[in-house]
Amino acid sequence: MVKVNGTELDIAGKTLTEYLATTNYDMKRIAVERNGDIVPKAQYGETVLQDGDSMEIVSFVGGG
């Protein structure tokens, strides 16, 4: 199980790109933290989610 924003999900073994493809996140406007470290966008496709990982995904919102 992988914890994403506080919710346990059965996504271990998937890449970060594979998981994000199943969500509604705007890939250009998010940042992903995995186990306390920011994951560079260039590494999303090679980052394999492991059982016990903890991720926080934040979306950037524009405005004024």
Side-chain angles (χ1 to χ4, degrees):
M1 298 298 278
V2 177
K3 188 178 284 191
V4 179
N5 293 348
T7 302
E8 294 276 342
L9 300 174
D10 188 15
I11 56 173
K14 290 186 177 186
T15 66
L16 185 50
T17 297
E18 289 171 331
Y19 166 67
L20 290 171
T22 68
T23 70
N24 292 324
Y25 289 112
D26 180 347
M27 297 291 286
K28 295 178 183 177
R29 302 183 63 87
I30 64 169
V32 178
E33 178 188 275
R34 177 179 174 228
N35 300 326
D37 296 317
I38 299 295
V39 180
K41 288 187 189 308
Q43 294 180 6
Y44 286 7
E46 61 195 52
T47 301
V48 178
L49 304 175
Q50 303 293 321
D51 196 34
D53 279 352
S54 180
M55 294 195 311
E56 292 293 327
I57 302 173
V58 294
S59 296
F60 298 102
V61 179

